[in-house]
Amino acid sequence: MATSDIAVQNQGAAQASGTKKVVNDLSIQVATVNGSGSQSANSVLLRTIFKMGVPVSGKNLFPSNIAGLPTWYTIRASKDGYVARKKEIDFLIAMNPETAREDVLSLAPGAAVLYDEPLKLNELRSDLTFYAAPYDKLVAAVCPEAKLRKLVKNMIYVGVAAQLLGLDVQMAEQALRKQFKKKQKAADLNMAAVKAGYEYAAASLPKADPFYIQPSNQTQGKIIIDGNAAAALGCMFAGVTVVTWYPITPSSSLVEQLIDYLKQFRIGPDGKASFAVVQAEDELAAVGMVLGAGWAGARSMTSTSGPGISLMSEFAGFGYYAEIPGVIFDIQRVGPSTGLPTRTSQGDILSVATLSHGDTKQMMLFPSSVHECFTLAMDAFNLAEQFQTPVFVMSDLDLGMNNWMSEPFKYPEAPMNRGKVLSKQELDKLGSFARYKDVDGDGVGYRTLPGTEHPAAAYFTRGSGHNERAQYSERPDDYQNNLDRLNRKFETARSVAPKPVKEVDLAAEVGIIAFGSSHWAIVESLDQMRKECSLAADYLRLRAYPFHHEVREFITRHERVYVVEQNRDGQMLSLLKLDLPPAEVSKLRSVRHYNGLPIDGRSVSDEIISQEGK
């Protein structure tokens, strides 16, 4: 399987077919075997380019099996700061014999290929630049232990690529030693392999392709982090105290990282932890524990993906109707059913929006960057308690598990918003309270926490019919009043949840709406459309559901609005249609990407240009 599209590449790789140097604008793909230890080598390449000051992103395409199947890692360096996936592969490092032929045949003319000498890939085509390296011979000279050579061999291609692309070896060593941290012996061995590859390339491989990395200053002060780690930090700073989970790709690393952070920062001088982490028997149990802890006053959360979301349906409805706070991270992957567990998607939007049965509206947040994974995690806990409801943070595999460049995160200064929680003193003044009564007209009732020293503080909560005082009721008026109040609460949230961002506002005829990790493809697509066919478009990025009033206003003032998303059925488009008056629905157009690979700017541009008839 090749991860690129030659038909599209032939449009975009013309720059590589000549002799003009291409500096700090290329896509490197490393094709290896899952379980071969290439992750460390790929990370060293990525971080070396980053340390040289060039904007960079890394995307890992790996199989759902444990080991032995093909895996691809793509590093994009862009002087223009583009970090979305690029369809064109400019420099291929072919390390997997099973996919090498297909990988090479998928390249556009002018690309470069670094390969293991016995593969003889240079016989396949005459319009590419080929570099052969005797990896086994080179690694044997630096690694006496034969059983380690399979792993160390990867660092040979780091050294060869570093010499061919012009990477700074000192930067590579810094990146490598950071990768191995305190493992001095392993770091020394791997660095010897890097140097062996570098020296071989310098002596035996004359530069014949146009691709170069040169020092820049565009990454100064920035960090590299994945979205799951950023979300874990956000949860910790949000004050999470109860974490329940069941492992599932691609969400597991969020809780794994969070556990590490909590152990580091949430254990007191007395050795006691101020948190609880429980691995449940399944996702249904995990979310049930979240709601139990939320009812008791804890800030609680779980993390899952599509199959886990399906199992959580009944408890999600309970949390909505009984009005219990909790945070659920959905790191979306491809479905239906098991689908493609290690591919990315935005395919859970509709299912989460109405998760449960009956009339249910769930709140969702849509981070588009690792920075927003951090900030929206904190917002999610505040919103969950403010509106006494489950809040779903809709990330995805691309954002959650891949490496992204970001500005450093700021230490949060705003206090936590615990919502309408009555204290003993407030209860004394009131004398009593009705749990589900709309006192303020915003649909949000007041609650008490178990353990508050007041007789009125103890109350039942139930997922069956109830009246304002949380008493069991099947009266039609009680049920309808409850549903109307819940809808009123949802309407209140429109103005409180994170507002959409007007990324581009030129008063153009055409508008684009997108969300989540699709944002970075839109950024690049806007430039492509403007340069290629003078097509200007405004761009609104969604950050929450329910939709803020500005979303409708954006649609109203444009003649055509393209909704870009990563699923087959246009799920966000469907939600928007439900939210709009009939006269506005006809303005909406759909741009969908659903092959499991992260969305790229070229695909977006081509589809919009086609629909515009340009």
Side-chain angles (χ1 to χ4, degrees):
M1 167 188 167
T3 61
S4 55
D5 186 334
I6 190 169
V8 174
Q9 286 184 340
N10 285 337
Q11 300 173 15
Q15 63 175 5
S17 62
T19 57
K20 184 179 178 181
K21 289 177 67 172
V22 179
V23 179
N24 295 347
D25 187 16
L26 72 151
S27 182
I28 305 167
Q29 185 172 87
V30 185
T32 58
V33 176
N34 196 37
S36 65
S38 59
Q39 183 176 352
S40 295
N42 297 334
S43 179
V44 170
L45 272 177
L46 175 85
R47 291 186 179 275
T48 300
I49 298 171
F50 175 76
K51 285 178 174 291
M52 291 179 66
V54 181
V56 68
S57 61
K59 298 189 184 298
N60 191 20
L61 182 66
F62 59 100
S64 55
N65 296 54
I66 294 174
L69 292 180
T71 182
W72 294 265
Y73 188 80
T74 304
I75 299 170
R76 182 175 189 182
S78 172
K79 57 182 172 49
D80 298 313
Y82 299 137
V83 293
R85 184 177 73 91
K86 182 184 178 185
K87 275 195 171 181
E88 300 86 0
I89 301 301
D90 301 307
F91 195 100
L92 171 67
I93 301 175
M95 298 293 291
N96 185 359
E98 290 188 14
T99 68
R101 178 183 175 85
E102 188 177 358
D103 289 335
V104 169
L105 293 178
S106 72
L107 298 173
V113 181
L114 169 60
Y115 67 98
D116 196 359
E117 195 171 57
L119 296 178
K120 299 181 180 180
L121 298 181
N122 60 317
E123 298 176 358
L124 294 175
R125 293 176 60 173
S126 60
D127 56 353
L128 305 175
T129 300
F130 287 95
Y131 302 103
Y135 291 116
D136 289 334
K137 178 182 177 181
L138 293 172
V139 74
V142 298
C143 184
E145 296 184 48
K147 63 180 181 181
L148 292 179
R149 289 173 188 167
K150 177 183 175 182
L151 302 177
V152 179
K153 181 178 177 179
N154 294 310
M155 290 297 175
I156 299 289
Y157 72 67
V158 172
V160 177
Q163 204 285 326
L164 290 172
L165 295 172
L167 303 186
D168 189 321
V169 179
Q170 289 184 336
M171 296 294 185
E173 182 166 5
Q174 291 177 19
L176 184 147
R177 295 196 180 279
K178 180 176 181 179
Q179 181 72 23
F180 289 95
K181 296 180 180 177
K182 298 180 181 179
K183 299 177 181 178
Q184 181 71 34
K185 185 176 179 181
D188 291 343
L189 177 61
N190 281 276
M191 192 61 214
V194 171
K195 290 179 178 177
Y198 189 91
E199 291 168 0
Y200 173 81
S204 307
L205 300 177
K207 178 73 170 176
D209 68 85
F211 303 108
Y212 292 84
I213 298 293
Q214 294 182 355
S216 184
N217 61 354
Q218 295 172 270
T219 64
Q220 187 172 2
K222 291 183 170 58
I223 62 172
I224 289 180
I225 190 172
D226 63 78
N228 282 352
L233 278 171
C235 292
M236 185 183 68
F237 279 104
V240 67
T241 54
V242 176
V243 182
T244 66
W245 68 308
Y246 184 80
I248 181 172
T249 301
S251 75
S252 296
S253 63
L254 194 161
V255 176
E256 290 166 351
Q257 293 266 23
L258 179 55
I259 291 170
D260 290 341
Y261 292 140
L262 292 173
K263 287 181 177 179
Q264 185 176 358
F265 298 107
R266 288 282 196 82
I267 295 180
D270 58 357
K272 294 182 179 180
S274 60
F275 60 90
V277 178
V278 180
Q279 182 172 326
E281 61 267 33
D282 54 32
E283 291 90 346
L284 180 61
V287 74
M289 294 175 189
V290 166
L291 295 177
W295 177 82
R299 286 202 149 187
S300 56
M301 63 152 287
T302 189
S303 179
T304 189
S305 191
I309 288 292
S310 298
L311 289 174
M312 293 178 180
S313 175
E314 185 175 356
F315 265 136
F318 174 69
Y320 172 80
Y321 192 48
E323 299 179 68
I324 303 173
V327 174
I328 300 98
F329 284 84
D330 181 5
I331 317 301
Q332 298 168 89
R333 71 187 206 187
V334 171
S337 186
T338 304
L340 301 177
T342 58
R343 301 292 187 268
T344 194
S345 174
Q346 294 174 327
D348 297 347
I349 305 302
L350 272 182
S351 60
V352 170
T354 59
L355 191 62
S356 190
H357 50 275
D359 292 316
T360 307
K361 292 181 179 178
Q362 305 285 7
M363 291 182 63
M364 296 184 288
L365 302 183
F366 308 111
S368 69
S369 64
V370 291
H371 190 272
E372 283 193 336
C373 285
F374 175 71
T375 58
L376 292 187
M378 291 181 280
D379 289 341
F381 284 93
N382 286 335
L383 289 167
E385 293 200 302
Q386 185 176 357
F387 289 93
Q388 302 168 19
T389 192
V391 172
F392 293 80
V393 183
M394 308 298 289
S395 182
D396 60 45
L397 184 148
D398 182 27
L399 182 55
M401 292 192 71
N402 284 327
N403 294 308
W404 297 81
M405 191 173 64
S406 174
E407 296 291 338
F409 306 152
K410 293 182 179 179
Y411 194 94
E413 297 179 352
M416 296 179 190
N417 186 344
R418 302 307 303 268
K420 297 180 179 182
V421 179
L422 294 172
S423 66
K424 177 182 182 299
Q425 292 74 20
E426 290 167 329
L427 287 168
D428 283 336
K429 293 179 181 178
L430 292 172
S432 65
F433 88 106
R435 168 68 181 97
Y436 295 114
K437 185 175 182 179
D438 185 2
V439 176
D440 303 318
D442 57 3
V444 184
Y446 285 80
R447 66 179 179 133
T448 60
L449 300 181
T452 303
E453 295 181 3
H454 194 283
Y459 67 88
F460 288 106
T461 192
R462 61 177 84 243
S464 55
H466 49 266
N467 61 18
E468 289 182 344
R469 302 187 67 82
Q471 297 166 333
Y472 178 74
S473 172
E474 294 189 12
R475 291 172 57 92
D477 56 337
D478 283 337
Y479 176 73
Q480 187 168 336
N481 287 339
N482 247 335
L483 282 196
D484 289 343
R485 181 182 54 78
L486 287 169
N487 200 55
R488 197 155 57 247
K489 180 168 73 169
F490 195 76
E491 290 298 314
T492 301
R494 287 186 190 274
S495 302
V496 179
K499 293 173 59 176
V501 178
K502 296 177 182 177
E503 299 284 357
V504 178
D505 192 2
L506 304 171
E509 289 185 5
V510 173
I512 296 175
I513 290 177
F515 61 98
S517 62
S518 300
H519 166 67
W520 303 103
I522 307 302
V523 169
E524 189 169 0
S525 175
L526 288 167
D527 288 346
Q528 290 173 349
M529 292 188 295
R530 186 180 64 253
K531 293 175 183 176
E532 294 171 12
C533 57
S534 300
L535 177 59
D538 295 334
Y539 170 33
L540 186 77
R541 179 168 61 83
L542 303 175
R543 295 203 299 158
Y545 177 77
F547 304 124
H548 193 274
H549 303 291
E550 290 184 4
V551 177
R552 181 177 297 186
E553 293 168 5
F554 180 85
I555 295 170
T556 298
R557 63 186 177 87
H558 289 89
E559 294 186 13
R560 297 174 300 285
V561 178
Y562 292 90
V563 183
V564 181
E565 51 191 311
Q566 298 180 64
N567 58 68
R568 183 195 67 184
D569 296 332
Q571 295 182 21
M572 186 63 77
L573 180 78
S574 296
L575 271 188
L576 287 166
K577 285 181 177 180
L578 289 173
D579 206 62
L580 290 171
E584 302 297 329
V585 169
S586 61
K587 294 181 176 181
L588 299 182
R589 308 282 189 273
S590 186
V591 176
R592 292 159 293 153
H593 177 93
Y594 51 93
N595 63 5
L597 300 177
I599 191 170
D600 62 280
R602 184 74 265 161
S603 294
V604 175
S605 298
D606 288 348
E607 180 62 22
I608 294 179
I609 289 171
S610 174
Q611 291 196 41
E612 285 291 303
K614 296 288 187 179

